[in-house]
Amino acid sequence: MLNFRFSKEYVQLDLFDDFGNEDRGAVVQQYIKCISDNKAKPILDTQHLSKLVGYTEQFLFSVSASPLHFYREYKIAKKNGGVRTLNEPLPTLKAVQKFIAGEILNDVEPHKVAKAFRKNHTLRGNAVIHRRRPFMLKIDIKDFFSNITEHAIYTMFFEIGYTRQVSRLLTGLCTLNNGLPQGAPTSPMLSNLVMREFDHTVFEHCVQNDIFYTRYADDMAFSASDDRVKSLIPFIRSELKKYGLEINQKKTSYSGPGARKYVTGIVVNERLNVLRIDRKNIRQEMYYIRKFGINGHLRKTNNSSPNYVDRLMGRLNFAFFVTKEPHFLEDMRYLKELKKVL
């Protein structure tokens, strides 16, 4: 059971509305057990939530009623063109959201096919499941975070066991413009929890048809020994529709035997590897850095990025993480030494 104490007067009336006119102490115990069984942190009411997060009820209700005033918006360029809009919560709201993600929901488990935003789950672990499978279907969910609605988030909190009032307040603290804001620390975890039933339904369907399924955020991958994965599209479209989501047709792809197959940027045809163009570019950049030095290389390529070395280090680290090839590790060590000199 939990460490905090409660009093009969402390819990708000909507909790008792949910359970009828039983003894209040027994109702609270039942309420706490229900939430604890779902591996979440029990919250008796909004006053209790305010004490947990360290902000007044008035502040929490203000954020919930007008969340737009507690975010700053900025845009970044997408790798493949276009612009991505991010909404970063202001420090006070970010602190509240970090508490929700790290303390209230930290132990609530998504479905096992959900590989993103979880401890001890990696891109490599997501990809290895599909290695050496001749047929692959990849489906992207359109505008994933922004299309997960307030209603879906409220339903998730309520089904964990929280009262209606607590569920509404938690929902308001975690949503923006009727969706999950990209940039909020709660959005990744909440997206996985909202999709838990979807993942279960799709996983069971795939098991029955000898298909392997994983989901990394909005990126779903299906692989099999024959072309039965092609028939999944209508089923997935129908299941997504139940959650107000839809397939991004532009990013849906099917590949058969002999075609290059990759999942979340990792090639899975035979052994795991990074894309050939990425390997080529890394080798080329390291060759010129060794030949001309970092400053000389940047001058020759007209590259004025202030964090070029850190980015290249990240690419090298990812390549070594995926392939375990020693030359990538040697390149990283060399780059670290040059960075010390700089």
PDB file of all heavy atoms in Angstrom, residues 28-29 33 48 73 119 155 157 163 171 204 247 324-325 329:
ATOM      1  N   VAL A  28     -12.248   4.634  -0.172  1.00  0.00           N
ATOM      2  CA  VAL A  28     -10.920   5.173  -0.462  1.00  0.00           C
ATOM      3  C   VAL A  28      -9.910   4.040  -0.622  1.00  0.00           C
ATOM      4  O   VAL A  28      -9.072   4.054  -1.530  1.00  0.00           O
ATOM      5  CB  VAL A  28     -10.482   6.160   0.636  1.00  0.00           C
ATOM      6  CG1 VAL A  28      -9.039   6.598   0.403  1.00  0.00           C
ATOM      7  CG2 VAL A  28     -11.396   7.374   0.657  1.00  0.00           C
ATOM      8  N   GLN A  29      -9.989   3.046   0.260  1.00  0.00           N
ATOM      9  CA  GLN A  29      -9.080   1.915   0.156  1.00  0.00           C
ATOM     10  C   GLN A  29      -9.266   1.188  -1.176  1.00  0.00           C
ATOM     11  O   GLN A  29      -8.287   0.788  -1.831  1.00  0.00           O
ATOM     12  CB  GLN A  29      -9.324   0.930   1.323  1.00  0.00           C
ATOM     13  CG  GLN A  29      -8.921   1.464   2.684  1.00  0.00           C
ATOM     14  CD  GLN A  29      -7.403   1.470   2.874  1.00  0.00           C
ATOM     15  OE1 GLN A  29      -6.648   1.195   1.964  1.00  0.00           O
ATOM     16  NE2 GLN A  29      -6.970   1.807   4.080  1.00  0.00           N
ATOM     17  N   LYS A  33      -6.490   0.897  -4.189  1.00  0.00           N
ATOM     18  CA  LYS A  33      -6.092  -0.426  -4.682  1.00  0.00           C
ATOM     19  C   LYS A  33      -6.276  -0.528  -6.193  1.00  0.00           C
ATOM     20  O   LYS A  33      -5.425  -1.086  -6.899  1.00  0.00           O
ATOM     21  CB  LYS A  33      -6.908  -1.510  -3.987  1.00  0.00           C
ATOM     22  CG  LYS A  33      -6.474  -2.925  -4.394  1.00  0.00           C
ATOM     23  CD  LYS A  33      -7.279  -3.975  -3.670  1.00  0.00           C
ATOM     24  CE  LYS A  33      -6.748  -5.380  -3.999  1.00  0.00           C
ATOM     25  NZ  LYS A  33      -6.723  -5.675  -5.433  1.00  0.00           N
ATOM     26  N   HIS A  48      -4.953  16.931  -3.397  1.00  0.00           N
ATOM     27  CA  HIS A  48      -3.846  15.992  -3.205  1.00  0.00           C
ATOM     28  C   HIS A  48      -2.838  16.112  -4.346  1.00  0.00           C
ATOM     29  O   HIS A  48      -1.621  16.110  -4.125  1.00  0.00           O
ATOM     30  CB  HIS A  48      -4.404  14.565  -3.122  1.00  0.00           C
ATOM     31  CG  HIS A  48      -3.364  13.528  -2.860  1.00  0.00           C
ATOM     32  ND1 HIS A  48      -3.474  12.241  -3.300  1.00  0.00           N
ATOM     33  CD2 HIS A  48      -2.165  13.600  -2.218  1.00  0.00           C
ATOM     34  CE1 HIS A  48      -2.408  11.546  -2.943  1.00  0.00           C
ATOM     35  NE2 HIS A  48      -1.601  12.349  -2.282  1.00  0.00           N
ATOM     36  N   GLU A  73       5.948  28.317 -28.766  1.00  0.00           N
ATOM     37  CA  GLU A  73       5.959  27.565 -30.028  1.00  0.00           C
ATOM     38  C   GLU A  73       7.178  27.931 -30.859  1.00  0.00           C
ATOM     39  O   GLU A  73       7.561  29.094 -30.942  1.00  0.00           O
ATOM     40  CB  GLU A  73       4.680  27.879 -30.821  1.00  0.00           C
ATOM     41  CG  GLU A  73       4.572  27.141 -32.140  1.00  0.00           C
ATOM     42  CD  GLU A  73       3.292  27.481 -32.881  1.00  0.00           C
ATOM     43  OE1 GLU A  73       2.204  27.187 -32.337  1.00  0.00           O
ATOM     44  OE2 GLU A  73       3.375  28.067 -33.985  1.00  0.00           O
ATOM     45  N   LYS A 119      12.413   2.817 -21.261  1.00  0.00           N
ATOM     46  CA  LYS A 119      13.721   2.393 -20.777  1.00  0.00           C
ATOM     47  C   LYS A 119      14.007   0.975 -21.263  1.00  0.00           C
ATOM     48  O   LYS A 119      13.109   0.131 -21.333  1.00  0.00           O
ATOM     49  CB  LYS A 119      13.759   2.425 -19.243  1.00  0.00           C
ATOM     50  CG  LYS A 119      13.714   3.828 -18.652  1.00  0.00           C
ATOM     51  CD  LYS A 119      13.740   3.769 -17.139  1.00  0.00           C
ATOM     52  CE  LYS A 119      13.674   5.167 -16.535  1.00  0.00           C
ATOM     53  NZ  LYS A 119      13.646   5.133 -15.054  1.00  0.00           N
ATOM     54  N   THR A 155     -10.016   9.431 -21.166  1.00  0.00           N
ATOM     55  CA  THR A 155     -10.466   8.043 -21.039  1.00  0.00           C
ATOM     56  C   THR A 155      -9.363   7.166 -20.455  1.00  0.00           C
ATOM     57  O   THR A 155      -9.613   6.299 -19.605  1.00  0.00           O
ATOM     58  CB  THR A 155     -10.905   7.496 -22.401  1.00  0.00           C
ATOM     59  OG1 THR A 155     -11.971   8.303 -22.910  1.00  0.00           O
ATOM     60  CG2 THR A 155     -11.375   6.051 -22.294  1.00  0.00           C
ATOM     61  N   PHE A 157      -6.831   8.086 -18.440  1.00  0.00           N
ATOM     62  CA  PHE A 157      -6.690   8.369 -17.006  1.00  0.00           C
ATOM     63  C   PHE A 157      -7.854   7.766 -16.206  1.00  0.00           C
ATOM     64  O   PHE A 157      -7.649   7.187 -15.135  1.00  0.00           O
ATOM     65  CB  PHE A 157      -6.632   9.878 -16.758  1.00  0.00           C
ATOM     66  CG  PHE A 157      -5.278  10.492 -17.009  1.00  0.00           C
ATOM     67  CD1 PHE A 157      -5.130  11.522 -17.931  1.00  0.00           C
ATOM     68  CD2 PHE A 157      -4.162  10.055 -16.326  1.00  0.00           C
ATOM     69  CE1 PHE A 157      -3.886  12.097 -18.161  1.00  0.00           C
ATOM     70  CE2 PHE A 157      -2.914  10.621 -16.543  1.00  0.00           C
ATOM     71  CZ  PHE A 157      -2.781  11.640 -17.465  1.00  0.00           C
ATOM     72  N   THR A 163     -10.611   9.558 -10.426  1.00  0.00           N
ATOM     73  CA  THR A 163     -11.940  10.157 -10.456  1.00  0.00           C
ATOM     74  C   THR A 163     -12.090  11.021 -11.694  1.00  0.00           C
ATOM     75  O   THR A 163     -11.116  11.377 -12.354  1.00  0.00           O
ATOM     76  CB  THR A 163     -12.177  11.038  -9.213  1.00  0.00           C
ATOM     77  OG1 THR A 163     -11.289  12.163  -9.270  1.00  0.00           O
ATOM     78  CG2 THR A 163     -11.958  10.266  -7.931  1.00  0.00           C
ATOM     79  N   THR A 171      -5.722  15.626 -17.664  1.00  0.00           N
ATOM     80  CA  THR A 171      -5.851  15.785 -19.123  1.00  0.00           C
ATOM     81  C   THR A 171      -5.526  17.203 -19.548  1.00  0.00           C
ATOM     82  O   THR A 171      -4.770  17.427 -20.502  1.00  0.00           O
ATOM     83  CB  THR A 171      -7.270  15.412 -19.584  1.00  0.00           C
ATOM     84  OG1 THR A 171      -7.526  14.042 -19.258  1.00  0.00           O
ATOM     85  CG2 THR A 171      -7.429  15.615 -21.087  1.00  0.00           C
ATOM     86  N   GLU A 204      -2.562  -9.341 -31.556  1.00  0.00           N
ATOM     87  CA  GLU A 204      -3.275 -10.617 -31.569  1.00  0.00           C
ATOM     88  C   GLU A 204      -3.626 -11.032 -32.992  1.00  0.00           C
ATOM     89  O   GLU A 204      -3.518 -12.213 -33.350  1.00  0.00           O
ATOM     90  CB  GLU A 204      -4.546 -10.518 -30.717  1.00  0.00           C
ATOM     91  CG  GLU A 204      -4.289 -10.371 -29.225  1.00  0.00           C
ATOM     92  CD  GLU A 204      -3.559 -11.575 -28.645  1.00  0.00           C
ATOM     93  OE1 GLU A 204      -3.877 -12.716 -29.033  1.00  0.00           O
ATOM     94  OE2 GLU A 204      -2.641 -11.369 -27.807  1.00  0.00           O
ATOM     95  N   ILE A 247      -3.992   6.561 -41.598  1.00  0.00           N
ATOM     96  CA  ILE A 247      -2.724   6.205 -42.218  1.00  0.00           C
ATOM     97  C   ILE A 247      -2.191   7.375 -43.036  1.00  0.00           C
ATOM     98  O   ILE A 247      -2.945   8.058 -43.722  1.00  0.00           O
ATOM     99  CB  ILE A 247      -2.907   4.968 -43.125  1.00  0.00           C
ATOM    100  CG1 ILE A 247      -3.226   3.733 -42.283  1.00  0.00           C
ATOM    101  CG2 ILE A 247      -1.669   4.719 -43.976  1.00  0.00           C
ATOM    102  CD1 ILE A 247      -3.566   2.501 -43.108  1.00  0.00           C
ATOM    103  N   LYS A 324      28.202  -2.355 -34.671  1.00  0.00           N
ATOM    104  CA  LYS A 324      29.313  -2.833 -33.834  1.00  0.00           C
ATOM    105  C   LYS A 324      30.627  -2.923 -34.619  1.00  0.00           C
ATOM    106  O   LYS A 324      31.550  -3.631 -34.210  1.00  0.00           O
ATOM    107  CB  LYS A 324      28.992  -4.204 -33.220  1.00  0.00           C
ATOM    108  CG  LYS A 324      27.691  -4.252 -32.429  1.00  0.00           C
ATOM    109  CD  LYS A 324      27.649  -3.226 -31.316  1.00  0.00           C
ATOM    110  CE  LYS A 324      26.327  -3.273 -30.558  1.00  0.00           C
ATOM    111  NZ  LYS A 324      26.207  -2.199 -29.544  1.00  0.00           N
ATOM    112  N   GLU A 325      30.734  -2.193 -35.745  1.00  0.00           N
ATOM    113  CA  GLU A 325      31.961  -2.210 -36.539  1.00  0.00           C
ATOM    114  C   GLU A 325      33.021  -1.348 -35.856  1.00  0.00           C
ATOM    115  O   GLU A 325      32.773  -0.185 -35.528  1.00  0.00           O
ATOM    116  CB  GLU A 325      31.693  -1.710 -37.952  1.00  0.00           C
ATOM    117  CG  GLU A 325      30.818  -2.658 -38.768  1.00  0.00           C
ATOM    118  CD  GLU A 325      30.605  -2.177 -40.188  1.00  0.00           C
ATOM    119  OE1 GLU A 325      31.254  -1.183 -40.596  1.00  0.00           O
ATOM    120  OE2 GLU A 325      29.787  -2.790 -40.905  1.00  0.00           O
ATOM    121  N   LEU A 329      34.044   3.061 -34.065  1.00  0.00           N
ATOM    122  CA  LEU A 329      34.537   3.363 -32.718  1.00  0.00           C
ATOM    123  C   LEU A 329      35.866   4.107 -32.791  1.00  0.00           C
ATOM    124  O   LEU A 329      36.097   5.073 -32.045  1.00  0.00           O
ATOM    125  CB  LEU A 329      34.703   2.064 -31.921  1.00  0.00           C
ATOM    126  CG  LEU A 329      35.050   2.208 -30.440  1.00  0.00           C
ATOM    127  CD1 LEU A 329      33.977   2.992 -29.704  1.00  0.00           C
ATOM    128  CD2 LEU A 329      35.234   0.836 -29.803  1.00  0.00           C
TER     129      LEU A 329
END
